[in-house]
């Protein structure tokens, strides 16, 4: 199976490179037969990379520990499910996974464009996709081969990092990768449009689903990563502004900016250069994220260490950047905007300013992430840039973004009149002022939380007003009752209202993030059996300790009775786990989750007399972070549900 | 209309300024932990780390607080022992000010460029700005209804 896997990798690369040659010759000679042959070669690429992935998964399943990668990320005791998903736990396997998914995406694009072979930009789209695939396949077969054999066959593997043995970690990396890989498609279309000179908005229309779907997957990946950190790492938070977290967040910000201004180009045919620049930046930043994890240039809790791949990624990114800049410069005259903007106060201009703020956050995050390297190069001083820096710099920018998110829907396309603005702003402004006063009276006095909650109310009100006015308009137009008009409105205009639902998800997330950061309570205590500790309205009593074995781990679980306001509210059971093949035990969080707050308990230490050290936190409103994330993703999905073609 | 524009600009500037100007309250043990990294090599902030070394560091901090040392003194002691990289964010002096200032300079430059673009795009169409534009997006009657109807029709065409 090892030889089979290796052979499949080599064949996948051969078909990919062959396909590229056929495409280049086909384009030069304008020979459609060669383009068709290239399509078949790229289909073969998908088949052989799938077989290579199957071979590696098989080796994990049967436990062939002579394969270096299998030995490094699994062992006999590991449950089968985690054995299979260990495929993307390390560098070599994750690169193979990347190449495989990209080959499938390429096959889907080839299938979808089967009737567009005569279009001058179609071969270029294939060429870009194949070019990116060939880079990853080249890395796999030369410097990062997951089928490399050890000189001996160990009896057992080293096992999977216990932190990664969590359901969140099964889905977090692949969804992130899928998001990254998905952006290859709009990038390929953009490059093809510039090379072929077909620079109308058709490339945007054709890639809209890919854009939003990739954004949705990237969003899911980031949220799952946060959720995993929250339940697995035991520090009570979900986002630490770690370099690798930032590496996924930066392209997400730029992609979000792109999705917004793509709407402007589709509607008004302006911002063509801007959109080209944004999609190029998004894709290069996706590759940059991959580079950051694998280069070892920055210290992170996530990275794979210095792997020797950094140089290859740098060359690849430089080639992408230089090529893209050249193409944008060469197409500048054709990309120049013909149409005009009537007013500073139009939805188009608010979209532009929303873009500026999104990019400012992306820039500050990138700059902060890379600043330790810059500082060391300039001053010779090693410094750390972590959570407090990013919170301080980015929070004002996020609040500004939230304000613009609220203002944007209140301003009409093209040009808003003063009367129109007064009417649109009246209800949201009055609601915001009233609720801010109520919150202030209720004791929310700190500036950040008050601003964040008030702006959340503002944005939520603008969205609700949009839904209400839309429903009312439909009622008047169709005579339908409100309970029919509302869902029909949602369905019929899902692209528009999907966006609003995503914005509403952002509001819910802001509420959750603000509550859980500003009003968090934390306590640490050591308890003997029968003793209690208090935190906020909660009291926790340590009842007993249970020890048992499960799969590949020994588990010590402390049973605690939870009281809230003096009344029994249930039990909670934090664990200490001792995994086979792990050097250190891990802590397992125990949660009592409600819409208002989470009681978050970890057990960092167990004493000789079975006394336990507990770290307990009360995290207000944190569930709304996950609910908001779900709503945001739901909004994105709703907005790309395809409509049936109208039959006339 | 001008008053409204100024109101929006002032509102945005106020959000930015007020939120940036906010200061953290007086220090506690947990706040000092937020200012420090754990030195076990985990690359986590001390407040987030659960390793044995982090427990030792917490013990040292609690001890210094009991001795009556201030937050600045405690942080200075850690810096003298481990260097500035023990701090979770760079101190606001010297070259580090670039890190704190660059994002806001970037934002201002971005806003400036955006204004230039909008002005240039507006220059291609010299419509009068003073009244509602008769482009089918606003009408003299119930403007909200008209806007919704138009958008409804337009979006239905889009999808």
């Amino acid at each position: 199976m090892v030889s089979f896997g290796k052979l499949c990798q080599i064949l996948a690369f051969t078909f990919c490179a062959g396909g590229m040659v056929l495409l280049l010759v086909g384009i030069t000679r304008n020979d459609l037969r060669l383009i068709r042959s290239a399509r078949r070669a790229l289909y073969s690429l998908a088949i052989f990379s799938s077989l290579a992935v199957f071979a590696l998964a098989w080796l994990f399943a049967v436990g062939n520990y002579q394969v270096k990668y299998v030995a490094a990320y699994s062992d006999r005791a590991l449950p089968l499910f985690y054995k299979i998903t260990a495929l993307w736990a390390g560098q070599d396997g994750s690169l193979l996974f990347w190449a495989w998914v990209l080959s499938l995406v390429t096959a889907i694009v080839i299938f979808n464009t089967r009737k567009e072979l005569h279009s001058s930009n179609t071969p270029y789209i294939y060429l870009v996709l194949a070019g990116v695939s060939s880079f990853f396949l080249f890395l796999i077969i030369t410097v990062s081969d997951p089928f490399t054999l050890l000189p001996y066959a160990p009896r057992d593997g080293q096992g999977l990092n216990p932190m990664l043995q969590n359901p969140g970690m099964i889905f977090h990396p692949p969804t992130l990768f899928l998001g990254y890989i998905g952006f290859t498609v709009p990038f390929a279309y953009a490059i093809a449009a510039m090379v072929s000179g077909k620079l109308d908005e058709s490339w945007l229309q054709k890639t809209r689903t890919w854009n939003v779907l990739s954004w949705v997957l990237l969003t899911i990946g980031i949220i799952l990563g946060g959720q995993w950190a929250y339940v697995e790492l035991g520090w009570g938070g979900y986002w630490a502004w770690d370099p690798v977290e930032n590496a996924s967040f930066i392209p997400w910000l730029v992609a979000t900016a792109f999705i917004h201004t793509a709407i402007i180009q589709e509607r008004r045919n302006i911002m063509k250069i801007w959109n080209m620049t944004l999609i190029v930046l998004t894709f290069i930043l996706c590759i940059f994220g991959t580079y950051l994890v694998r280069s070892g240039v920055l210290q992170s809790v996530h990275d794979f260490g210095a792997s020797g791949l950094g140089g290859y990624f740098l060359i690849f990114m430089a080639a992408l950047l230089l090529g893209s800049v050249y193409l944008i410069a060469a197409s500048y005259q054709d990309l120049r905007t013909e149409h005009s903007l009537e007013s500073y106060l139009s939805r188009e201009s608010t979209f532009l300013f929303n873009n500026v703020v999104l990019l400012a956050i992306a820039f500050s995050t990138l700059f902060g992430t890379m600043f330790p390297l810059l500082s060391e190069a300039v001053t010779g001083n090693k410094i750390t840039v972590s959570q407090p820096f990013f919170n301080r710099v980015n929070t004002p920018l996020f609040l500004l973004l939230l304000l613009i998110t609220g203002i944007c829907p209140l301003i009409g396309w093209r040009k808003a009149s003063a009367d129109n603005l007064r009417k649109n702003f009246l209800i949201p402004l009055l609601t915001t002022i009233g609720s801010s006063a109520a919150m202030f009276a209720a004791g929310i006095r700190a500036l950040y939380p008050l601003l964040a909650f008030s702006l959340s109310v503002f944005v939520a009100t603008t969205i609700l007003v949009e839904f209400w006015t839309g429903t009312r308009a439909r009622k008047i137009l169709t005579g339908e009752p409100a309970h029919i008009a509302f869902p029909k409105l949602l369905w019929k205009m899902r692209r528009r209202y999907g966006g609003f639902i995503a914005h509403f998800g952002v509001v819910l997330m802001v509420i959750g993030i603000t509550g859980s950061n500003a009003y968090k309570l934390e306590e640490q205590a050591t308890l003997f059996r029968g003793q209690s500790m208090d935190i906020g309205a909660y009291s926790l009593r340590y009842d007993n300790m249970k020890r048992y074995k499960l799969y590949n781990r020994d588990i010590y679980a402390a049973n605690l009775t939870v009281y809230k306001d003096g009344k029994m509210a249930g039990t909670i059971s934090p664990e200490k786990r001792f995994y086979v093949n792990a050097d250190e035990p891990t802590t397992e969080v125990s949660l009592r989750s409600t819409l208002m707050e989470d009681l978050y308990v970890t057990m960092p230490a167990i004493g000789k007399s079975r006394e336990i050290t507990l770290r307990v936190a009360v995290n207000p409103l944190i569930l709304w972070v996950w609910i908001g994330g779900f709503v945001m993703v739901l909004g994105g999905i709703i907005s790309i549900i395809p409509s049936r073609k109208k039959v006339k | 209309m001008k008053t409204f524009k100024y109101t929006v600009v002032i509102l945005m500037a106020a959000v930015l300024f007020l939120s940036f100007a906010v200061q953290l309250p007086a220090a506690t043990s947990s706040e000092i932990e937020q200012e420090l990294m754990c030195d076990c090599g985990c690359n986590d902030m001390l407040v987030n780390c659960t390793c044995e070394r982090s427990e030792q560091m917490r013990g040292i901090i609690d001890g210094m607080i009991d001795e009556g040392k201030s937050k600045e003194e405690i942080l200075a002691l850690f810096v003298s022992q481990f260097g500035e990289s023990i701090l979770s964010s760079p101190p606001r002096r010297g070259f580090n000010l670039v890190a704190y200032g660059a994002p806001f300079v970037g934002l201002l430059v971005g806003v400036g460029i955006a204004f230039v673009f909008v002005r240039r795009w507006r220059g291609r169409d010299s419509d009068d700005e003073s009244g509602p534009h008769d482009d089918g997006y606003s009408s003299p009657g119930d403007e909200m209804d008209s806007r919704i109807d138009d958008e409804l029709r337009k979006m239905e065409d889009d999808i």
Side-chain angles (χ1 to χ4, degrees):
Chain A
M1 193 52 92
V2 174
S3 305
F4 176 72
K6 272 182 182 285
L7 181 67
C8 288
Q9 281 185 165
I10 292 166
L11 284 172
F13 179 73
T14 310
F15 276 111
C16 186
M20 285 174 73
V21 172
L22 287 169
L23 282 167
L24 282 170
V25 179
I27 291 166
T28 315
R29 293 185 185 170
N30 201 15
D31 188 338
L32 216 56
R33 284 177 313 160
L34 291 177
I35 309 283
R36 284 204 180 94
S37 300
R39 284 164 55 92
R40 284 191 286 274
L42 296 179
Y43 276 131
S44 307
L45 154 70
I47 292 167
F48 284 107
S49 54
S50 301
L51 289 173
V53 168
F54 170 77
L56 188 58
W58 180 267
L59 292 168
F60 267 108
V62 299
N64 185 336
Y65 301 114
Q66 196 177 357
V67 178
K68 194 176 165 190
Y69 185 73
V70 175
Y73 293 98
S74 71
D75 59 15
R76 288 167 189 272
L78 192 68
L80 181 66
F81 192 51
Y82 286 118
K83 275 187 180 175
I84 304 294
T85 56
L87 194 140
W88 52 74
Q91 176 171 278
D92 304 347
S94 66
L95 284 176
L96 176 62
F97 182 79
W98 185 301
W100 172 54
V101 176
L102 183 54
S103 73
L104 295 182
V105 164
T106 305
I108 292 169
V109 171
I110 289 173
F111 182 76
N112 286 345
T113 52
R114 64 195 178 282
K115 290 174 185 166
E116 295 168 23
L117 263 189
H118 294 278
S119 171
S120 61
N121 57 353
T122 305
Y124 292 109
I125 296 168
Y126 301 161
L127 195 57
V128 176
L129 290 168
V132 178
S133 283
S134 66
F135 170 70
F136 284 96
L137 287 165
F138 169 77
L139 291 182
I140 292 164
I141 60 173
T142 54
V143 285
S144 198
D145 181 3
F147 295 100
T148 302
L149 290 175
L150 292 166
Y152 58 96
R155 286 176 57 82
D156 202 357
Q158 292 160 27
L160 184 65
N161 183 339
M163 296 283 189
L164 303 182
Q165 295 179 42
N166 172 282
M169 219 48 203
I170 294 167
F171 301 107
H172 159 64
T175 43
L176 263 189
F177 288 157
L178 287 170
Y180 285 160
I181 295 161
F183 281 115
T184 318
V185 178
F187 172 76
Y189 270 82
I191 296 292
M194 286 191 283
V195 175
S196 66
K198 291 183 76 175
L199 289 161
D200 55 20
E201 58 274 17
S202 64
W203 75 270
L204 269 180
Q205 288 159 351
K206 284 175 184 167
T207 57
R208 189 180 163 271
T209 305
W210 283 104
N211 295 332
V212 180
L213 186 65
S214 308
W215 178 88
V216 162
L217 289 164
L218 204 51
T219 309
I220 295 173
I222 292 170
I223 291 168
L224 282 178
Q227 219 274 337
W228 167 79
Y230 184 63
V231 299
E232 192 62 36
L233 296 186
W235 57 275
Y238 40 85
W239 189 261
W241 295 103
D242 174 83
V244 174
E245 290 173 354
N246 296 348
S248 64
F249 189 49
I250 296 165
W252 183 89
L253 289 163
V254 182
T256 307
F258 170 67
I259 285 170
H260 283 84
T261 42
I263 300 170
I264 305 285
Q265 188 179 336
E266 279 186 65
R267 289 191 67 128
R268 304 274 288 116
N269 205 22
I270 56 177
M271 303 177 96
K272 289 181 189 173
I273 299 173
W274 186 265
N275 281 326
M276 280 293 179
T277 309
L278 286 184
I279 192 57
V280 164
L281 259 183
T282 301
F283 179 66
I284 292 176
L285 287 168
C286 287
I287 301 291
F288 176 75
T290 320
Y291 157 75
L292 214 56
V293 186
R294 289 166 171 82
S295 62
V297 293
L298 289 168
Q299 291 189 325
S300 159
V301 289
H302 291 76
D303 65 17
F304 294 140
S307 60
L309 290 183
Y312 294 97
F313 272 96
L314 276 180
I315 293 167
F316 185 54
M317 281 190 293
L320 288 173
L321 192 64
L322 290 174
S324 304
V325 168
Y326 169 76
L327 282 174
I328 291 174
S331 315
Y332 181 75
Q333 285 305 325
D334 297 324
L335 284 170
R336 281 190 67 185
T337 294
E338 294 150 16
H339 292 75
S340 61
L341 208 63
E342 277 101 273
S343 170
Y344 288 110
L345 271 176
S346 61
R347 195 171 293 181
E348 292 91 325
S349 54
T350 53
F351 269 49
L352 184 60
F353 288 110
N354 128 316
N355 256 236
V356 169
V357 181
L358 278 166
L359 293 186
I361 299 170
F363 171 68
S364 73
T365 309
L366 180 63
F367 196 71
T369 306
M370 303 305 289
F371 193 73
L373 291 179
L374 187 66
S375 172
E376 198 173 355
V378 174
T379 66
N381 248 0
K382 269 196 169 183
I383 56 154
T384 310
V385 178
S386 190
Q387 216 169 335
F389 170 86
F390 290 104
N391 285 343
R392 186 160 194 87
V393 171
N394 281 346
T395 306
L397 298 174
F398 276 119
L399 291 173
L400 192 60
L401 185 66
L402 198 58
L403 177 66
I404 296 175
T405 309
I407 290 173
C408 189
L410 300 177
I411 297 178
W413 292 103
R414 297 168 81 100
K415 185 175 184 177
S417 70
D419 189 40
N420 170 272
L421 288 171
R422 264 193 294 276
K423 276 186 180 175
N424 291 356
F425 272 85
L426 189 67
I427 296 173
L429 265 184
L430 288 178
T431 314
T432 307
I433 292 167
S435 56
S436 304
M439 284 188 276
F440 190 81
I444 300 175
R445 303 281 165 86
L447 190 59
Y448 273 157
L450 189 60
L451 269 176
F453 286 135
S454 301
L455 289 172
S456 299
V457 170
F458 177 63
V459 180
T461 314
T462 62
I463 294 167
L464 292 175
V465 167
E466 276 290 330
F467 278 108
W468 179 72
T469 46
T471 308
R472 196 175 63 126
R474 190 173 171 93
K475 260 179 72 181
I476 293 165
L477 282 174
T478 63
E480 291 164 347
H483 69 278
I484 303 285
F486 178 65
K488 278 195 171 178
L489 177 84
L490 269 187
W491 183 246
K492 196 135 178 100
M493 297 168 68
R494 50 195 174 276
R495 179 171 173 181
R496 174 187 170 86
Y497 287 103
F500 281 124
I501 290 170
H503 284 185
F504 192 67
V506 173
V507 168
L508 297 180
M509 284 189 93
V510 169
I511 290 170
I513 291 166
T514 308
S516 58
N517 277 294
Y519 299 103
K520 182 178 185 172
L521 298 173
E522 278 179 296
E523 290 289 344
Q524 181 163 327
T526 300
L527 303 178
F528 287 89
R529 270 179 71 168
Q531 285 187 321
S532 298
M533 66 175 288
D534 297 330
I535 179 168
Y538 290 96
S539 179
L540 283 78
R541 191 188 67 211
Y542 172 33
D543 295 330
N544 56 56
M545 173 79 72
K546 203 166 67 181
R547 184 190 171 184
Y548 60 98
K549 264 185 186 293
L550 187 70
Y551 302 122
N552 56 346
R553 50 198 180 251
D554 264 335
I555 299 172
Y556 289 79
N559 292 318
L560 300 148
T561 306
V562 179
Y563 296 89
K564 190 177 183 192
D565 296 320
K567 291 177 188 165
M568 194 181 150
T571 57
I572 207 158
S573 186
E575 293 175 359
K576 194 92 180 158
R577 292 180 174 182
F578 295 81
Y579 282 84
V580 176
N581 281 333
D583 297 333
E584 284 194 20
T586 60
T587 56
E588 194 66 16
V589 176
S590 188
L591 275 174
R592 181 184 180 273
S593 220
T594 67
L595 289 175
M596 288 308 291
E597 64 200 8
D598 273 16
L599 178 67
Y600 184 98
V601 185
T602 56
M603 183 169 59
I606 303 171
K608 285 177 184 164
S609 311
R610 290 283 169 103
E611 76 275 21
I612 55 171
T613 300
L614 290 180
R615 285 188 83 184
V616 185
V618 177
N619 292 325
L621 302 173
I622 203 163
L623 203 58
W624 293 100
V625 176
W626 319 126
I627 294 172
F630 173 77
V631 173
M632 204 157 82
V633 165
L634 183 71
I637 292 169
I638 287 173
S639 74
I640 50 170
I641 295 172
S643 58
R644 277 178 293 180
K645 283 185 180 168
K646 287 175 189 169
V647 181
K648 290 189 178 174
Chain B
M1 180 63 96
K2 271 190 178 171
T3 317
F4 179 80
K5 275 186 201 169
Y6 290 136
T7 312
V8 171
V9 170
I10 290 168
L11 198 61
M12 287 165 75
V15 168
L16 196 62
F17 175 76
L18 287 174
S19 49
F20 188 56
V22 72
Q23 290 296 324
L24 290 170
T28 61
S29 165
S30 138
E31 276 176 20
I32 294 170
E33 287 176 35
Q34 282 190 3
E35 303 269 331
L36 294 169
M37 302 298 290
C38 181
D39 84 325
C40 70
C42 63
N43 298 315
D44 261 339
M45 278 172 30
L46 180 57
V47 71
N48 297 340
C49 194
T50 53
C51 71
E52 280 181 25
R53 175 62 188 150
S54 70
E55 290 301 322
Q56 288 171 5
M57 288 176 77
R58 282 189 194 100
I60 295 168
I61 292 169
D62 289 341
M64 287 198 269
I65 289 174
D66 290 342
E67 287 169 19
K69 287 196 166 62
S70 70
K71 176 181 168 184
E72 287 69 28
E73 286 173 320
I74 296 171
L75 293 178
L77 278 166
F78 273 98
V79 170
S80 66
Q81 201 172 347
F82 298 99
E84 277 191 349
S85 61
I86 197 73
L87 298 173
S88 61
S89 56
R92 266 174 284 166
R93 62 167 182 265
F95 183 69
N96 296 340
L97 288 173
V98 175
Y100 288 96
F104 297 98
V105 172
L107 177 70
L108 288 176
V109 170
V111 168
I113 292 171
F115 266 110
V116 168
F117 269 103
V118 175
R119 183 183 282 266
R120 192 188 289 177
W121 288 333
R122 282 188 71 212
R124 298 211 182 113
D125 190 296
S126 54
D127 280 357
D128 182 12
E129 199 192 312
S130 57
H133 193 266
D134 185 19
D135 60 359
Y137 289 86
S138 55
S139 67
D142 186 343
E143 211 162 304
M144 173 73 88
D145 282 352
S146 158
R147 187 169 75 89
I148 293 157
D149 291 348
D150 285 333
E151 299 237 2
L152 272 169
R153 253 177 258 126
K154 199 155 183 55
M155 292 309 293
E156 280 172 11
D157 288 342
D158 278 356
I159 53 178

PDB file of all heavy atoms in Angstrom, chain A residues 188-202:
ATOM      1  N   ALA A 188      -8.588  31.934  -9.626  1.00  0.00           N
ATOM      2  CA  ALA A 188      -8.317  31.431 -10.978  1.00  0.00           C
ATOM      3  C   ALA A 188      -9.177  32.176 -12.005  1.00  0.00           C
ATOM      4  O   ALA A 188      -8.682  32.548 -13.082  1.00  0.00           O
ATOM      5  CB  ALA A 188      -8.602  29.930 -11.033  1.00  0.00           C
ATOM      6  N   TYR A 189     -10.433  32.412 -11.675  1.00  0.00           N
ATOM      7  CA  TYR A 189     -11.317  33.143 -12.593  1.00  0.00           C
ATOM      8  C   TYR A 189     -10.827  34.581 -12.793  1.00  0.00           C
ATOM      9  O   TYR A 189     -10.886  35.119 -13.900  1.00  0.00           O
ATOM     10  CB  TYR A 189     -12.757  33.163 -12.054  1.00  0.00           C
ATOM     11  CG  TYR A 189     -13.595  31.985 -12.515  1.00  0.00           C
ATOM     12  CD1 TYR A 189     -13.520  30.747 -11.872  1.00  0.00           C
ATOM     13  CD2 TYR A 189     -14.470  32.115 -13.586  1.00  0.00           C
ATOM     14  CE1 TYR A 189     -14.287  29.672 -12.292  1.00  0.00           C
ATOM     15  CE2 TYR A 189     -15.248  31.040 -14.009  1.00  0.00           C
ATOM     16  CZ  TYR A 189     -15.159  29.828 -13.364  1.00  0.00           C
ATOM     17  OH  TYR A 189     -15.918  28.767 -13.771  1.00  0.00           O
ATOM     18  N   ALA A 190     -10.371  35.196 -11.699  1.00  0.00           N
ATOM     19  CA  ALA A 190      -9.901  36.587 -11.792  1.00  0.00           C
ATOM     20  C   ALA A 190      -8.662  36.673 -12.680  1.00  0.00           C
ATOM     21  O   ALA A 190      -8.572  37.538 -13.559  1.00  0.00           O
ATOM     22  CB  ALA A 190      -9.599  37.127 -10.400  1.00  0.00           C
ATOM     23  N   ILE A 191      -7.717  35.762 -12.453  1.00  0.00           N
ATOM     24  CA  ILE A 191      -6.486  35.754 -13.261  1.00  0.00           C
ATOM     25  C   ILE A 191      -6.835  35.486 -14.724  1.00  0.00           C
ATOM     26  O   ILE A 191      -6.344  36.160 -15.639  1.00  0.00           O
ATOM     27  CB  ILE A 191      -5.488  34.690 -12.725  1.00  0.00           C
ATOM     28  CG1 ILE A 191      -5.028  35.040 -11.304  1.00  0.00           C
ATOM     29  CG2 ILE A 191      -4.298  34.525 -13.671  1.00  0.00           C
ATOM     30  CD1 ILE A 191      -4.171  36.275 -11.178  1.00  0.00           C
ATOM     31  N   ALA A 192      -7.741  34.498 -14.930  1.00  0.00           N
ATOM     32  CA  ALA A 192      -8.134  34.158 -16.305  1.00  0.00           C
ATOM     33  C   ALA A 192      -8.793  35.355 -16.987  1.00  0.00           C
ATOM     34  O   ALA A 192      -8.559  35.610 -18.170  1.00  0.00           O
ATOM     35  CB  ALA A 192      -9.075  32.955 -16.290  1.00  0.00           C
ATOM     36  N   ALA A 193      -9.602  36.081 -16.234  1.00  0.00           N
ATOM     37  CA  ALA A 193     -10.278  37.252 -16.817  1.00  0.00           C
ATOM     38  C   ALA A 193      -9.246  38.292 -17.246  1.00  0.00           C
ATOM     39  O   ALA A 193      -9.365  38.900 -18.317  1.00  0.00           O
ATOM     40  CB  ALA A 193     -11.240  37.853 -15.796  1.00  0.00           C
ATOM     41  N   MET A 194      -8.210  38.479 -16.418  1.00  0.00           N
ATOM     42  CA  MET A 194      -7.199  39.488 -16.760  1.00  0.00           C
ATOM     43  C   MET A 194      -6.343  39.028 -17.939  1.00  0.00           C
ATOM     44  O   MET A 194      -6.023  39.821 -18.816  1.00  0.00           O
ATOM     45  CB  MET A 194      -6.320  39.792 -15.535  1.00  0.00           C
ATOM     46  CG  MET A 194      -7.052  40.627 -14.499  1.00  0.00           C
ATOM     47  SD  MET A 194      -5.979  41.275 -13.213  1.00  0.00           S
ATOM     48  CE  MET A 194      -5.718  39.840 -12.186  1.00  0.00           C
ATOM     49  N   VAL A 195      -6.002  37.738 -17.962  1.00  0.00           N
ATOM     50  CA  VAL A 195      -5.158  37.245 -19.064  1.00  0.00           C
ATOM     51  C   VAL A 195      -5.930  37.286 -20.378  1.00  0.00           C
ATOM     52  O   VAL A 195      -5.408  37.710 -21.417  1.00  0.00           O
ATOM     53  CB  VAL A 195      -4.660  35.802 -18.769  1.00  0.00           C
ATOM     54  CG1 VAL A 195      -3.900  35.240 -19.965  1.00  0.00           C
ATOM     55  CG2 VAL A 195      -3.780  35.781 -17.541  1.00  0.00           C
ATOM     56  N   SER A 196      -7.201  36.866 -20.330  1.00  0.00           N
ATOM     57  CA  SER A 196      -7.975  36.795 -21.581  1.00  0.00           C
ATOM     58  C   SER A 196      -8.573  38.139 -21.965  1.00  0.00           C
ATOM     59  O   SER A 196      -9.072  38.304 -23.068  1.00  0.00           O
ATOM     60  CB  SER A 196      -9.087  35.759 -21.439  1.00  0.00           C
ATOM     61  OG  SER A 196     -10.017  36.212 -20.474  1.00  0.00           O
ATOM     62  N   GLY A 197      -8.575  39.088 -21.041  1.00  0.00           N
ATOM     63  CA  GLY A 197      -9.115  40.417 -21.335  1.00  0.00           C
ATOM     64  C   GLY A 197     -10.629  40.505 -21.207  1.00  0.00           C
ATOM     65  O   GLY A 197     -11.226  41.533 -21.505  1.00  0.00           O
ATOM     66  N   LYS A 198     -11.268  39.410 -20.761  1.00  0.00           N
ATOM     67  CA  LYS A 198     -12.737  39.450 -20.578  1.00  0.00           C
ATOM     68  C   LYS A 198     -13.025  39.942 -19.162  1.00  0.00           C
ATOM     69  O   LYS A 198     -13.217  39.140 -18.238  1.00  0.00           O
ATOM     70  CB  LYS A 198     -13.331  38.061 -20.811  1.00  0.00           C
ATOM     71  CG  LYS A 198     -13.259  37.627 -22.259  1.00  0.00           C
ATOM     72  CD  LYS A 198     -13.907  36.297 -22.478  1.00  0.00           C
ATOM     73  CE  LYS A 198     -15.415  36.420 -22.479  1.00  0.00           C
ATOM     74  NZ  LYS A 198     -16.074  35.144 -22.815  1.00  0.00           N
ATOM     75  N   LEU A 199     -13.051  41.245 -19.033  1.00  0.00           N
ATOM     76  CA  LEU A 199     -13.056  41.832 -17.691  1.00  0.00           C
ATOM     77  C   LEU A 199     -14.428  42.341 -17.248  1.00  0.00           C
ATOM     78  O   LEU A 199     -14.513  43.119 -16.310  1.00  0.00           O
ATOM     79  CB  LEU A 199     -12.036  42.975 -17.639  1.00  0.00           C
ATOM     80  CG  LEU A 199     -10.594  42.485 -17.684  1.00  0.00           C
ATOM     81  CD1 LEU A 199      -9.654  43.593 -18.088  1.00  0.00           C
ATOM     82  CD2 LEU A 199     -10.175  41.907 -16.345  1.00  0.00           C
ATOM     83  N   ASP A 200     -15.485  41.892 -17.916  1.00  0.00           N
ATOM     84  CA  ASP A 200     -16.810  42.280 -17.417  1.00  0.00           C
ATOM     85  C   ASP A 200     -17.075  41.561 -16.094  1.00  0.00           C
ATOM     86  O   ASP A 200     -16.230  40.796 -15.609  1.00  0.00           O
ATOM     87  CB  ASP A 200     -17.891  41.946 -18.455  1.00  0.00           C
ATOM     88  CG  ASP A 200     -17.855  40.491 -18.858  1.00  0.00           C
ATOM     89  OD1 ASP A 200     -17.294  39.708 -18.092  1.00  0.00           O
ATOM     90  OD2 ASP A 200     -18.359  40.137 -19.933  1.00  0.00           O
ATOM     91  N   GLU A 201     -18.274  41.774 -15.535  1.00  0.00           N
ATOM     92  CA  GLU A 201     -18.502  41.214 -14.193  1.00  0.00           C
ATOM     93  C   GLU A 201     -18.889  39.736 -14.219  1.00  0.00           C
ATOM     94  O   GLU A 201     -19.258  39.169 -13.186  1.00  0.00           O
ATOM     95  CB  GLU A 201     -19.539  42.032 -13.423  1.00  0.00           C
ATOM     96  CG  GLU A 201     -20.896  42.175 -14.029  1.00  0.00           C
ATOM     97  CD  GLU A 201     -20.952  43.338 -15.016  1.00  0.00           C
ATOM     98  OE1 GLU A 201     -19.881  43.802 -15.447  1.00  0.00           O
ATOM     99  OE2 GLU A 201     -22.052  43.751 -15.361  1.00  0.00           O
ATOM    100  N   SER A 202     -18.804  39.071 -15.409  1.00  0.00           N
ATOM    101  CA  SER A 202     -19.233  37.664 -15.480  1.00  0.00           C
ATOM    102  C   SER A 202     -18.381  36.775 -14.570  1.00  0.00           C
ATOM    103  O   SER A 202     -18.889  35.819 -13.982  1.00  0.00           O
ATOM    104  CB  SER A 202     -19.189  37.154 -16.917  1.00  0.00           C
ATOM    105  OG  SER A 202     -17.875  37.168 -17.384  1.00  0.00           O
TER     106      SER A 202
END
